[in-house]
Amino acid sequence: MAPTQDANRNPALTRPAGAERRVVITGCGTISPIGHTVEEFWAAATAGQSGIRPITRYDVDALPTRFAGEVVGFDPKPYMPNKVSRRLDRFAQFGLAAALQAMDQAGLTIGEELATRTAVLVGSGYGPGQLMRTAIHDLRDHGRRRMTPYLASGGSLDSAAGEIAARFGARGASGATVTACATGATCVGDALRMIRHGYADVAIAGGADDAVNPLDLGAAANAGALSRRDDDPHLVSRPFDRQRDGFVMGAGAGIVVLEDAEHAVRRGATILAEVAGYGATTDAYHSTHPHPDGLAARQAMTDALADAGLRPEDIDHVSAHGTSTQLNDRIESAAIHAVLGGHAPRVPISSLKSMTGHMIGAAGAVELIAAVQTIRTGLVPPTVNCDDPEDTTLDYVPHKAREHAVRAVLSNSFGFGGHNAVLVVRAWPGAADTAGRQDRQPKEEGR
């Protein structure tokens, strides 16, 4: 059972016995192709700057694509000692770095009393591709003894979660939920439920991936998912545009610190936003293709709204999955129409993948962080390269960011295997951005 909470300091947080707890975000961190901090990432995203460029870390002659949203110039040294970085794949280095950023912003120290009440859920879609590739080559060319001794621990999908838990002394539940391209959102959603139902007071949650390597790029290319365009790399990722021909691989990490709202208020934390709703479903249709009618995707969106206690007309912005593949974008647009109804044409819709590429397991968490920034700054990021939208009735915010008052965001994540995870994030009453703007009261308090 959760410890008894004293809500007398803030009557607005008082809840009846047995009611679910509200969950807020107090810290965010990201490593991305367009910035190695949230501030850098957000400045580039709202400026419409693409991080898609020619691949530099690998020979691309054997690959059908030369471009990716590569993380360039990342140095693990400011975040971890060499003995830690040596045992981790780059994806886990990204995850640990983003977690350190998020915990620093949250101003949270995990002491003995909080340790067992702090969970870590950080997943990865593809995991330690480079570490595994190197180990396989070493085994083939030189034998077992030349393989890295860190493979048994660093070669797992939960290596980032374990390293983050150890770094902060978090002794609650930890692990790596994997739902392909929806992983980051799923980990946040599952962490939300853990806090709501009293299994934790704090959670460090999100996703990380570094799939810009020959193994993962080759696999995605063989699945027919990658763009084959060979022109300006900044023009390759084209979500919702008629000329789209596949996604562009990306890399990075997105981590958030979630807290029981009463816990955050008691310790005087700055609350950035509230994670108000979560919906998760499965297509049960195909290993890579989404269901043609988007039935489960629609259900996840509807469930997230219901979980947040919001109506379709309460949504001010959609952070789209928007991969730049023919099927995904068409089906997602239809799902937005179906769920938001007559309100859909009035809602600005953005795909960050037009600038970052597809960050796989990190995508949903990074896009959630963008939703938080949208609420706090009143800026909706653009969908670049959306020159000729397939659905002219929807507003994809083409080319340039836009000022728009946003109180509630629907953030979609859909993955291979038919995994769907949708989050609703909304303004917290009284929260202010760095410029001092006060967010307006949500239309529906819900939870």
Side-chain angles (χ1 to χ4, degrees):
M1 295 293 293
T4 301
Q5 304 286 349
D6 179 7
N8 293 333
R9 299 186 188 183
N10 191 331
L13 292 175
T14 302
R15 65 176 185 273
E20 293 175 348
R21 305 196 291 177
R22 295 175 71 175
V23 179
V24 296
I25 298 172
T26 57
C28 299
T30 188
I31 302 293
S32 82
I34 57 174
H36 297 176
T37 66
V38 171
E39 292 75 18
E40 291 175 359
F41 159 78
W42 189 241
T46 52
Q49 294 176 4
S50 175
I52 297 168
R53 53 180 67 87
I55 296 168
T56 59
R57 296 180 63 235
Y58 302 97
D59 183 356
V60 297
D61 288 345
L63 296 173
T65 181
R66 300 183 295 115
F67 307 133
E70 196 173 25
V71 172
V72 176
F74 172 76
D75 183 2
K77 290 185 178 65
Y79 299 103
M80 64 199 80
N82 287 338
K83 65 179 182 180
V84 173
S85 63
R86 282 199 303 268
R87 68 174 178 249
L88 296 177
D89 185 89
R90 205 162 178 250
F91 95 93
Q93 294 178 10
F94 293 163
L96 179 55
L100 285 159
Q101 293 176 21
M103 287 291 282
D104 182 64
Q105 183 178 30
L108 182 62
T109 300
I110 300 175
E112 187 63 27
E113 184 177 350
L114 188 58
T116 59
R117 302 290 305 164
T118 300
V120 178
L121 290 179
V122 177
S124 179
Y126 284 178
Q130 180 53 48
L131 191 70
M132 294 296 293
R133 177 174 178 265
T134 300
I136 291 168
H137 285 178
D138 288 342
L139 177 64
R140 179 196 64 193
D141 298 337
H142 307 290
R144 173 184 63 82
R145 295 186 182 279
R146 286 290 297 273
M147 292 168 59
T148 172
Y150 304 121
L151 183 62
S153 59
S156 64
L157 286 164
D158 65 347
S159 57
E163 201 66 47
I164 291 166
R167 179 63 175 263
F168 296 109
R171 301 204 303 272
S174 69
T177 302
V178 179
T179 54
C181 314
T183 291
T186 299
C187 287
V188 172
D190 288 352
L192 162 73
R193 289 175 173 173
M194 290 182 69
I195 295 174
R196 269 187 181 169
H197 299 300
Y199 297 104
D201 297 324
V202 173
I204 303 168
D209 254 310
D210 184 26
V212 184
N213 65 72
L215 182 68
D216 294 326
L217 284 166
N222 287 353
L226 292 184
S227 170
R228 301 296 180 97
R229 291 177 68 106
D230 198 30
D231 49 8
D232 185 336
H234 294 169
L235 304 179
V236 173
S237 185
R238 315 183 64 83
F240 305 109
D241 186 79
R242 292 181 189 275
Q243 299 305 312
R244 66 190 185 276
D245 74 329
F247 75 75
V248 177
M249 193 68 83
I255 305 291
V256 295
V257 176
L258 303 179
E259 296 187 53
D260 166 42
E262 292 179 6
H263 181 274
V265 169
R266 278 202 313 276
R267 73 178 186 88
T270 298
I271 294 175
L272 306 178
E274 178 182 10
V275 184
Y278 173 47
T281 61
T282 306
D283 286 357
Y285 173 72
H286 191 274
S287 60
T288 58
H289 293 176
H291 191 286
D293 296 326
L295 299 179
R298 297 181 191 186
Q299 189 64 54
M301 296 164 69
T302 300
D303 289 351
L305 284 172
D307 193 39
L310 297 181
R311 303 160 298 181
E313 56 267 32
D314 295 323
I315 294 299
D316 301 307
H317 172 51
V318 174
S319 180
H321 188 56
T323 59
S324 188
T325 63
Q326 286 289 335
L327 287 176
N328 175 86
D329 293 4
R330 184 177 304 127
I331 292 167
E332 184 173 15
S333 293
I336 291 169
H337 274 297
V339 174
L340 300 187
H343 183 55
R346 297 190 290 272
V347 179
I349 302 163
S350 303
S351 172
L352 285 167
K353 294 180 182 71
S354 62
M355 295 172 278
T356 64
H358 195 335
M359 298 165 69
I360 311 297
V366 172
E367 289 156 11
L368 173 69
I369 291 169
V372 172
Q373 291 296 102
T374 293
I375 288 170
R376 291 173 59 77
T377 65
L379 278 176
V380 174
T383 303
V384 303
N385 302 324
C386 192
D387 301 324
D388 185 15
E390 184 176 50
D391 187 333
T392 58
T393 67
L394 293 178
D395 176 8
Y396 298 111
V397 195
H399 311 308
K400 292 184 179 180
R402 183 185 307 160
E403 291 187 1
H404 184 70
V406 174
R407 292 169 290 182
V409 180
L410 192 71
S411 185
N412 291 337
S413 295
F414 310 133
F416 279 0
H419 304 295
N420 306 301
V422 178
L423 297 166
V424 173
V425 60
R426 68 180 176 192
W428 183 256
D433 68 9
T434 54
R437 180 182 62 83
Q438 292 293 320
D439 290 307
R440 295 177 293 169
Q441 188 80 3
K443 297 174 186 176
E444 293 281 337
E445 279 304 312
R447 301 191 199 282

